[in-house]
């Protein structure tokens, strides 16, 4: 006997058989914010023309549609190209829903190597502009080109209020299976802790991806349904005739075009459960001459609809929301998908896109540093504005500095930016934008803390520095200041000596390591007194001069016997043993449990093939090893610099035994315990790598006695950890077992866990039992004509200096530590050589992280109805503070720290000021959470999304509960006050 559910299902198939396939033709242009050409070149060659011509063409015909994806190009067009008429037309088109903004971020961000903070930033930057300008809020994604799909992205999109998510690039063999089984659409629960609360319907594009078929036998080669041809650089042709324009639609050609289009529609329809087909019309750099496009597609679609009974197909121009509305109204029950992601990504057996995890190490590092600097400046400016609303730092000047860095950090998150898959000139453009904007923010930081400027005082041996903690946690840490003299003493703002240690860096400069204790969001002043001569007595402060012990260079081929002469380096957490026969690390004992783990670290190289005739190649995107890794050195030199604050071990790896210069190095800092917080568990390592030989990919290999069965754990965008089991493939097993490491990776067995946290993204793998292998640097060249034509060969001759922090211990101990350590590495204290005023600290519970504290400067009203009815050109709002708080732990990860946290934000933020109003918002701030009603997609469990919000009066209005892995976003208004007073002699020209 059939159940009612099966009867309904059978009926739906019968109905579908008798109905024509409803085709949603979605016009779009994929515009990379970078890649081969700079943003300026793209704007000049085609991008500006896309929005000019699309606006004009949509205004001519009410049936036409277009989706706008990357906001950086649209905003540049809106601000620098669009006429008043264009702006009026756009507002009308947006109001009618015929021009639809999709994703709404500045870029279509990469999903493998981007950090959570930066994904949120670039979305917020775009969403704020769109809501401010048009009163619209994107509700759908179009992630068609990132190289693999993370499970964090759908969570963030759900938190931003999206109703559906769209992806495309997933493993070729997996996509093929999903197509055959009609499983390209599902409900994704990207977070194992949030589960159904932030589930989102996800559509996977079929094998044709986001472009329409291009191989048409009756038209120009590779032109397909793109009648406007191929964009030209550097200048568009003055006569409007572009190369490779497709044959126009005429009486003679319309039937051939219609037959091809219908066949493709039917082929796609067979892979989905409903009779609605998404037919993306567009591709890279299309629609710059959209009159040609629409004037050919219009008659073609008219012809198909006139013959719809014969074809069994209807076609209509559509936006993405119109397609998803039709799917939603089909009322089907969808299969849920858990928190697994779609990484890594492969396009064919020998093409694993795992190389870009490590491409352009310098760019990845600068982008992360700029993001950290932005976070520090945002929190400091917010504190300043609340305390000194009429202070001498001009608010508009400050906002301009912040916005420049917001823009620079946002644009580099593009899937051909932070990935390192762009041409050298585009990489230089990203770096230039990041460095220039960072310098502007450094000016702002100096101005915010400046209270007075000393005049007529020249004391080269005295230096004041301000050290600012940008995190809402108390911290005890060691900072490094470079000084010019070999002797120095350090004093805090109370005149008390501070523990410090000096070590020679070169003949003219010295590393001064200072132990600092800082409250959350607090800065303190330190005085460094230098001397050319040694002094004695209390006036010298508490200073240790560290001197090194150099060990002779060891030839690895002579070191067949190892472990005979072990040298210990001990702090309160660890005993590290170094082998004097090899000058390599031998073992680590974590003293709390007296467990010894054999650990060795060294460098290995994969040699890549650069000749396409000789086999698969490695390039910016792809990692295709030419065999197993080989040892990257013949000899190792070691120097140990013992100290009372930290002991430093410097290991230099020489390519040849008698080589004059080392190619690789590891500097390991083993800290002692200071202050109230145990911090000896963190082994801070910095590396120097390069220049590499051509077609070399270098890895740091950490080999241990842990029995992890080649299973490792890596983070998805710094948000959540993913289990990565080693898998065997018919081809390219080595490369397909590499995964992105954005902030953290670890291996473990039943007793111990070995953790690495990083200051930038890398590729990581466990190729053998107990092994954690991190790809740090790549230098590649190949003779593929495509690569040579676009200069995409990654001939990166730079020397790179990434940082990893290593921890070893039991699973329970490391679970409490590694996420905070990753954030502390990312947001290290900011050092500024100026004076300051004291401030109160702001401290959150240990399982909560202050993700954002900023003044966006948006001018829109928090009330949507009021915003839509008011003038959209009001002044920036400097009193509205954007606050985000994130719970760091997963459900069940720790007995205490995984519990939900109830916090009174009025109490928590009193170190900044008195909170008067608190309003919960969506992730990017554009929705009042009480008005956000996301679509409910049916699953077998039929679970519904629920939102908690702030409500009520009195203290209840400020009390919120944050559950594991939740990110909650608020608008905060503080009570007005102004404590500003400063000497009349202070210069405030620019500030």
């Amino acid at each position: 006997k059939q159940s009612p559910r099966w009867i309904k299902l059978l009926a739906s198939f019968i109905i579908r058989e008798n109905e024509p396939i409803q085709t949603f033709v979605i016009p779009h242009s994929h515009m990379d914010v970078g890649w081969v050409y700079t943003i300026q070149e793209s704007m000049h060659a085609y991008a500006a023309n896309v929005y000019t011509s699309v606006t004009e063409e949509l205004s001519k015909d009410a049936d036409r549609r277009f989706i706008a994806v990357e906001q950086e190009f649209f905003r540049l067009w809106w601000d620098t190209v669009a006429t008043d008429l264009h702006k009026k037309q756009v507002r009308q088109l947006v109001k009618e829903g015929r021009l639809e903004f999709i994703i709404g971020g500045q870029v279509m961000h990469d999903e493998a190597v981007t950090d959570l903070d930066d994904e949120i930033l670039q979305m917020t930057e775009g969403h704020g502009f769109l809501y401010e300008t048009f009163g619209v809020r994107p509700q759908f994604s179009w992630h068609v080109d990132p190289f693999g799909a993370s499970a964090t992205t759908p969570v963030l999109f759900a938190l931003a209020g999206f109703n559906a998510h769209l992806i495309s690039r997933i493993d070729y063999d997996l996509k093929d299976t999903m197509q055959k089984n009609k499983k390209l659409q599902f409900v994704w629960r990207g977070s194992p802790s949030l589960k159904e609360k932030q589930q989102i319907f996800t559509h996977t594009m079929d094998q044709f991806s986001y472009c329409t078929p291009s191989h048409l036998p009756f038209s120009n080669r590779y032109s397909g349904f793109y009648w406007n041809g191929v964009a030209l650089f550097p200048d568009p042709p003055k006569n409007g005739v572009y190369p490779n324009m497709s044959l126009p639609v005429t009486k003679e050609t319309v039937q051939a075009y219609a037959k091809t289009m219908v066949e493709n529609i039917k082929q796609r329809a067979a892979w989905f459960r409903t009779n609605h087909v998404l037919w993306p019309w567009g591709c890279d750099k299309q629609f710059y001459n959209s009159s040609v496009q629409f004037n050919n597609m219009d008659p073609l679609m008219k012809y198909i609809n006139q013959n719809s009974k014969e074809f069994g197909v209807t076609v209509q121009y559509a936006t993405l929301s119109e397609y998803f509305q039709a799917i939603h109204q089909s009322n089907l029950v969808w299969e849920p998908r858990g928190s697994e992601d779609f990484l890594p990504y492969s396009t064919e057996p020998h093409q694993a896109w795992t190389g870009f995890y490590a491409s352009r190490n310098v760019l990845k590092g600068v982008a992360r540093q700029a993001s950290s600097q932005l976070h520090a400046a945002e929190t400091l400016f917010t504190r300043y504005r609340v305390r000194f609303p009429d202070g001498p730092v001009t608010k508009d000047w400050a906002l301009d500095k912040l916005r420049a860095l917001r823009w620079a950090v946002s644009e580099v998150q593009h899937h051909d930016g932070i990935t390192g898959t762009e041409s050298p000139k585009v990489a230089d453009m990203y770096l230039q934008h990041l460095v220039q904007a960072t310098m502007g923010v450094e000016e702002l930081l100096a101005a915010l803390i400046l209270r007075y400027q000393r005049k007529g005082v020249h004391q080269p041996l005295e230096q004041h520095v301000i050290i600012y903690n940008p995190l809402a946690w108390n911290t005890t840490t060691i900072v490094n200041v470079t000084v010019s003299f070999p002797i120095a003493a350090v004093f805090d703002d109370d005149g008390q000596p501070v523990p410090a240690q000096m070590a020679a860096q070169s003949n003219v400069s010295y590393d001064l390591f200072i132990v600092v204790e800082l409250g959350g969001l607090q800065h303190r002043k330190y005085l460094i007194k230098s001397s050319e001569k040694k002094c004695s007595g209390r006036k010298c402060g508490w200073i240790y001069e560290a001197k090194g012990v150099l060990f002779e260079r060891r030839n690895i081929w002579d070191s067949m016997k190892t472990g005979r002469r072990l040298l210990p380096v001990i702090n309160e957490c660890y005993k590290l043993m170094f082998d004097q026969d090899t000058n390599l690390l031998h073992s680590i004992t974590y003293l709390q449990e007296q467990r010894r783990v054999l650990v060795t670290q060294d460098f290995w190289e994969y040699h890549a093939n650069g000749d396409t005739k000789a086999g698969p190649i490695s390039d910016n995107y792809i990692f295709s090893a030419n065999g197993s890794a080989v040892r990257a050195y013949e000899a190792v030199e070691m120097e140990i610099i013992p100290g009372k604050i930290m002991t430093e071990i410097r290991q230099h790896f020489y390519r040849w035994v008698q080589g004059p210069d080392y190619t690789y190095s590891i500097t390991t800092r083993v800290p002692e315990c200071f202050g109230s917080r145990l911090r000896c568990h963190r082994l801070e390592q910095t590396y120097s790598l390069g220049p590499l030989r051509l077609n070399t990919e270098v890895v740091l290999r950490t080999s241990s006695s842990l029995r992890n069965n080649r299973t490792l754990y890596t983070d998805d965008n710094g948000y959540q950890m993913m289990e990565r089991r080693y898998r065997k493939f018919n081809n390219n097993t080595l490369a397909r077992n590499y995964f992105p490491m954005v902030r953290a990776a670890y291996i473990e067995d039943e007793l111990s866990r070995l953790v690495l946290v990083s200051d930038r993204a890398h590729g990581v793998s466990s190729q053998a039992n107990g092994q954690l292998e991190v790809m740090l640097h790549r230098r590649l060249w190949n003779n593929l004509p495509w690569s040579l034509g676009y200069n995409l060969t990654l001939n990166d001759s730079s020397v790179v200096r990434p940082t990893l922090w290593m921890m070893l211990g039991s699973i329970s101990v490391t679970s409490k530590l590694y996420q905070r350590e990753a954030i502390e590495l990312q947001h290290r204290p900011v050092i500024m050589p100026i004076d300051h005023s004291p401030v109160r600290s702001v401290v959150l519970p240990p399982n909560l992280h202050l993700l954002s504290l900023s003044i966006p400067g948006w001018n829109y009203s928090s009330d949507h109805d009021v915003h839509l009815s008011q003038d959209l050109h009001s002044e920036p709002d400097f009193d509205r503070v954007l606050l985000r708080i994130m719970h760091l732990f997963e459900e069940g990860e720790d007995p205490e720290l995984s519990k939900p946290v109830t916090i009174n934000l009025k109490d928590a933020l009193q170190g900044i000021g008195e909170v008067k109003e608190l309003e919960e918002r969506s992730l990017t701030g554009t929705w009042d959470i009480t008005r956000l009603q996301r679509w409910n997609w049916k699953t077998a469990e039929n679970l519904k999304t629920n939102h908690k919000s702030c409500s009520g009066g009195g203290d209840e209005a400020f009390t919120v509960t944050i559950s594991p892995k939740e990110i909650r976003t608020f608008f905060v208004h503080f009570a007005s006050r102004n404590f500003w007073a400063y000497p009349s002699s202070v210069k405030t020209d620019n500030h």
Side-chain angles (χ1 to χ4, degrees):
K1 184 179 179 180
Q2 287 183 322
S3 67
R5 179 169 174 261
W6 283 108
I7 292 171
K8 287 181 181 177
L9 196 62
L10 188 61
S12 70
F13 280 114
I14 295 169
I15 292 167
R16 180 174 171 175
E17 285 294 317
N18 296 329
E19 287 182 356
I21 297 168
Q22 186 179 9
T23 310
F24 295 80
V25 176
I26 300 182
H28 76 99
S29 182
H30 183 70
M31 297 188 277
D32 289 304
V33 182
W35 188 38
V36 175
Y37 303 103
T38 67
I39 291 162
Q40 293 76 13
E41 287 173 329
S42 294
M43 278 294 292
H44 178 72
Y46 79 95
N49 288 345
V50 169
Y51 288 113
T52 298
S53 68
V54 164
T55 298
E56 292 168 354
E57 290 306 310
L58 294 188
S59 300
K60 294 176 182 177
D61 189 328
D63 289 334
R64 293 172 176 175
R65 303 284 191 273
F66 192 81
I67 61 169
V69 182
E70 298 86 2
Q71 289 314 303
E72 178 151 345
F73 282 129
F74 179 82
R75 290 176 71 175
L76 286 170
W77 175 79
W78 183 262
D79 290 339
T80 63
V81 178
T83 64
D84 289 341
L85 176 60
H86 287 141
K87 291 184 177 182
K88 183 179 178 182
Q89 289 173 325
V90 167
R91 291 189 191 280
Q92 186 61 32
L93 293 168
V94 171
K95 187 177 180 180
E96 293 172 4
R98 299 199 292 114
L99 174 61
E100 184 171 69
F101 295 104
I102 301 299
I103 308 177
Q106 282 289 90
V107 298
M108 186 187 299
H109 70 255
D110 170 65
E111 298 195 40
V113 298
T114 43
D115 186 86
L116 167 81
D117 295 7
D118 305 322
E119 292 179 1
I120 295 172
L121 170 72
Q122 72 88 21
M123 280 197 343
T124 303
E125 186 71 9
H127 286 195
F129 163 76
L130 290 175
Y131 190 57
E132 194 175 59
T133 310
F134 304 110
V136 298
R137 299 168 286 207
Q139 296 177 49
F140 306 95
S141 84
W142 182 263
H143 258 226
V144 296
D145 205 29
F147 320 133
S150 87
T152 299
T153 301
V155 175
L156 298 182
F157 286 163
L159 289 167
F162 284 23
N163 287 313
H165 178 38
L166 184 146
I167 63 175
S168 182
R169 288 185 182 263
I170 65 172
D171 263 5
Y172 69 98
D173 45 2
L174 177 60
K175 179 175 280 194
D176 186 55
T177 301
M178 291 169 72
Q179 276 184 180
K180 290 175 181 173
N181 297 322
K182 296 189 178 182
K183 292 190 175 183
L184 290 170
Q185 294 171 323
F186 49 88
V187 171
W188 200 350
R189 294 170 181 165
S191 162
S193 292
L194 298 178
K195 301 181 185 73
E196 71 278 358
K197 284 201 297 184
Q198 298 303 339
Q199 67 184 21
I200 191 167
F201 180 81
T202 303
H203 172 101
T204 311
M205 283 194 155
D206 55 50
Q207 68 187 41
F208 293 103
S209 189
Y210 61 88
C211 297
T212 46
S214 58
H215 296 273
L216 303 184
F218 55 86
S219 187
N220 292 337
R221 192 180 178 208
Y222 302 126
S223 59
F225 293 80
Y226 314 127
W227 290 275
N228 57 358
V230 177
L232 276 184
F233 288 80
D235 298 303
K238 292 179 180 178
N239 61 3
V241 178
Y242 289 79
N244 216 24
M245 295 176 78
S246 197
L247 290 177
V249 176
T250 62
K251 289 182 180 178
E252 290 73 32
T253 62
V254 67
Q255 194 168 2
Y257 271 117
K259 181 184 176 185
T260 303
M261 186 171 177
V262 167
E263 284 176 354
N264 183 258
I265 289 167
K266 287 183 174 179
Q267 186 179 2
R268 291 179 181 222
W271 298 325
F272 294 92
R273 291 178 59 196
T274 74
N275 65 336
H276 309 104
V277 170
L278 187 162
W279 205 78
W281 175 37
C283 200
D284 292 42
K285 309 177 195 66
Q286 283 296 323
F287 281 86
Y288 47 81
N289 192 352
S290 58
S291 62
V292 178
Q293 294 279 68
F294 283 114
N295 287 335
N296 280 280
M297 185 60 91
D298 286 350
L300 173 58
M301 290 172 60
K302 183 179 179 182
Y303 179 83
I304 291 173
N305 286 333
Q306 285 174 342
N307 297 277
S308 62
K309 287 189 177 179
E310 176 191 340
F311 287 130
V313 167
T314 63
V315 290
Q316 66 188 73
Y317 288 125
T319 59
L320 191 59
S321 65
E322 289 173 309
Y323 170 74
F324 277 128
Q325 282 168 0
I327 299 297
H328 187 244
Q329 288 165 6
S330 68
N331 219 23
L332 292 178
V333 176
W334 299 98
E335 188 173 307
R337 180 183 178 86
S339 59
E340 63 270 21
D341 61 11
F342 293 95
L343 290 167
Y345 166 61
S346 294
T347 48
E348 56 185 72
H350 288 285
Q351 292 202 341
W353 292 44
T354 57
F356 76 90
Y357 302 159
S359 295
R360 297 204 194 282
N361 182 283
V362 171
L363 177 62
K364 285 175 166 69
V366 171
R368 190 77 68 86
Q369 290 161 15
S371 172
S372 175
Q373 191 84 334
L374 176 63
H375 176 83
E378 297 276 22
T379 57
L380 205 55
F381 178 60
T382 301
R383 296 203 65 159
Y384 179 89
R385 273 292 307 163
V386 173
R387 195 170 188 207
F388 309 125
D390 299 317
V393 178
T394 308
K395 57 189 179 184
D396 293 307
W397 174 82
L399 189 59
D400 285 345
K401 297 293 184 187
L402 291 170
R403 281 178 167 167
L405 191 50
R406 290 173 191 169
W407 190 296
V409 173
S410 293
E411 74 177 11
V412 78
Q413 306 311 316
H414 169 61
H415 57 267
D416 279 303
I418 193 80
T419 53
T421 53
E422 67 280 354
S423 65
K425 69 177 177 183
V426 174
D428 290 343
M429 175 202 73
Y430 290 130
L431 286 168
Q432 181 186 9
H433 292 176
L434 288 165
V435 171
Q436 285 180 342
T438 299
M439 290 170 63
V441 160
E442 286 173 354
E443 284 182 58
L444 172 60
L445 285 168
L448 290 174
I449 297 182
L450 183 64
R451 285 296 296 266
Y452 57 88
Q453 294 177 337
R454 299 187 177 196
K455 292 190 173 183
V457 180
H458 182 63
Q459 292 179 298
L461 299 181
E462 280 198 7
Q463 180 183 1
H464 284 93
V465 295
I466 300 300
I467 302 178
Y468 174 59
N469 173 21
L471 297 170
W473 300 322
N474 295 333
T475 186
T476 301
T477 191
I478 298 170
V479 300
N480 184 2
V481 179
T482 301
V483 293
S484 307
F485 297 95
I487 305 298
V490 183
F491 302 89
D492 65 18
D493 39 17
D494 295 324
Q496 297 300 310
V498 174
Q501 178 176 310
M502 186 77 77
Q505 187 185 82
S506 65
N507 292 330
V508 294
S509 63
Y510 302 85
D511 281 328
L512 177 61
F513 298 102
I514 307 170
V515 177
V516 297
E517 292 193 57
L518 295 165
L521 301 189
Q522 191 178 58
H523 48 77
R524 294 185 66 185
K525 179 176 71 174
Y526 293 85
L527 171 63
I528 302 171
K529 290 186 176 182
S530 299
S531 173
E532 297 178 15
K533 299 178 182 178
K534 290 187 178 182
C535 62
S536 59
R538 192 179 183 283
K539 65 178 182 178
C540 291
W542 193 7
I543 187 81
Y544 305 108
E545 187 179 355
K547 292 185 177 179
V549 179
L550 188 63
F551 295 80
E552 65 177 285
R553 192 180 302 188
R554 291 293 182 182
N555 183 341
I556 58 166
W557 309 117
D558 294 339
S559 305
M560 302 309 292
K561 293 182 179 180
T562 62
R564 298 175 302 170
R565 297 183 299 153
L566 299 179
L567 185 70
V569 175
I570 303 172
N571 70 2
E572 289 87 338
C573 293
Y574 302 119
K575 179 167 72 173
L576 287 76
M577 302 297 279
F578 288 87
D579 191 335
Q580 293 181 65
D581 289 321
T582 63
N583 285 335
L584 296 177
L585 179 63
H586 174 270
S587 62
I588 303 176
T589 302
Y590 55 97
L591 299 175
Q592 185 177 350
E593 299 184 17
Q594 287 297 319
R595 177 149 198 261
R596 188 183 75 151
V597 177
L598 299 178
V599 180
T600 302
Q601 288 185 304
D602 58 356
F603 294 100
W604 294 69
E605 292 174 346
Y606 290 102
H607 294 157
N609 168 45
D611 183 0
T612 55
K613 294 179 181 177
I617 58 165
S618 275
D619 63 12
N620 296 43
Y621 308 86
I622 294 164
F623 173 39
S624 182
N626 204 17
S628 300
V630 297
R631 202 182 299 270
Y633 61 95
E634 286 189 351
V636 185
E637 218 169 58
M638 180 170 67
E639 182 181 15
I640 295 182
I641 306 167
K644 294 187 178 180
I645 286 176
M646 73 158 107
T647 295
E648 191 169 84
I649 301 100
R650 299 174 181 174
Q651 295 164 290
H652 296 153
F653 294 77
Y654 292 82
R655 195 181 296 284
W656 300 285
V657 175
Q658 301 300 329
D661 300 310
Y662 60 86
T663 307
Y664 306 115
S665 75
I666 304 175
T667 300
T668 305
R669 291 170 180 164
V670 183
E672 301 298 334
C673 289
F674 282 92
S676 57
R677 179 165 164 251
L678 189 72
R679 55 168 315 284
C680 60
H681 53 262
R682 185 164 81 202
L683 301 171
E684 303 183 5
Q685 294 191 319
T686 56
Y687 314 92
S688 175
L689 305 98
L692 304 185
R693 293 183 293 192
L694 204 56
N695 285 330
T696 298
E697 302 171 81
V698 63
V699 299
L700 171 76
R701 182 175 285 178
T702 303
S703 303
S704 76
S705 56
L706 298 185
R707 298 174 181 176
N708 72 315
N709 195 30
R710 294 192 289 189
T711 296
L712 77 155
Y713 296 79
T714 72
D715 66 313
D716 247 22
N717 312 109
Y719 176 68
Q720 56 193 347
M721 299 303 292
M722 312 295 288
E723 183 183 47
R724 311 293 194 182
R725 292 179 180 272
Y726 188 89
R727 294 189 297 159
K728 290 186 178 179
F729 299 90
N730 291 332
N731 298 288
N732 219 13
T733 290
L734 194 157
R736 290 187 79 171
N737 278 289
Y738 254 83
F739 300 91
M741 169 194 187
V742 177
R743 288 189 194 171
Y746 60 77
I747 58 174
E748 65 184 24
D749 58 18
E750 292 179 356
L751 296 173
S752 305
R753 177 185 285 169
L754 175 68
V755 184
L756 296 177
V757 297
S758 61
D759 71 338
R760 66 198 70 183
H762 305 288
V764 65
S765 185
S766 182
Q767 295 287 337
N769 204 18
Q771 203 176 84
L772 192 55
E773 183 174 286
V774 183
M775 187 178 289
L776 295 175
H777 197 17
R778 318 174 75 219
R779 184 181 181 185
L780 302 165
W781 183 91
N782 67 72
N783 59 5
L784 189 70
W786 183 84
S787 300
L788 296 174
Y790 288 127
N791 197 9
L792 293 172
T793 56
L794 199 66
N795 190 358
D796 185 350
S797 59
S798 58
V799 177
V800 303
R801 294 181 174 86
T803 295
L804 295 175
W805 289 353
M806 179 165 59
M807 284 161 282
L808 179 67
S810 66
I811 292 172
S812 61
V813 168
T814 53
S815 291
K816 297 180 196 302
L817 294 172
Y818 77 90
Q819 298 189 71
R820 283 175 61 108
E821 291 297 324
I823 291 169
E824 289 197 13
L825 173 55
Q826 187 156 338
H827 297 293
R828 283 171 279 188
V830 177
I831 303 170
M832 295 167 283
I834 41 184
D835 285 323
H836 85 306
S837 59
V839 295
R840 297 170 66 189
S841 62
V842 176
V843 181
L844 293 179
N847 45 4
L848 297 185
H849 169 44
L850 184 70
L851 199 63
S852 308
L853 182 72
S854 66
I855 296 176
W858 298 317
N859 62 32
Y860 61 75
S861 168
S862 294
D863 186 310
H864 183 63
D865 297 327
V866 171
H867 174 56
L868 293 183
S869 63
Q870 71 181 14
D871 178 16
L872 294 175
H873 299 282
S874 56
E875 291 298 309
D877 183 348
F878 285 92
D879 297 322
R880 174 169 43 202
V881 172
L882 177 69
L883 169 74
R884 291 190 189 94
I885 297 179
M886 174 180 167
H887 197 302
L888 290 177
F889 286 78
E890 297 279 5
E891 277 186 351
E893 187 175 5
D894 184 86
E896 289 301 318
L897 295 172
S898 289
K899 291 179 179 177
V901 183
T902 299
I903 184 172
N904 185 298
L905 290 176
K906 190 167 187 174
D907 294 341
L909 300 175
Q910 62 182 341
I912 298 173
E914 183 188 354
V915 176
K916 296 297 288 184
E917 294 179 40
L918 187 69
E919 176 191 355
E920 185 158 11
R921 306 291 292 189
S922 60
L923 183 68
T924 58
T926 54
W927 287 92
D928 177 339
I929 208 76
T930 60
R931 297 183 65 167
L932 176 57
Q933 298 294 324
R934 292 176 57 235
W935 294 356
N936 181 41
W937 295 85
K938 289 186 177 180
T939 62
E941 299 94 329
N942 205 26
L943 298 164
K944 295 184 178 180
T945 303
N946 68 75
H947 292 282
K948 301 171 187 174
S949 60
C950 304
S951 59
D955 271 359
E956 287 184 15
F958 305 108
T959 300
V960 298
T961 298
I962 303 176
S963 299
K965 281 298 169 189
E966 272 196 326
I967 301 172
R968 298 188 66 177
T969 306
F970 305 90
F971 285 162
V972 185
H973 282 85
F974 291 88
S976 299
R977 60 177 183 170
N978 193 359
F979 300 115
W980 181 252
Y982 59 97
S984 58
S985 61
V986 174
K987 292 183 179 180
T988 58
D989 321 3
N990 298 322
H991 313 326

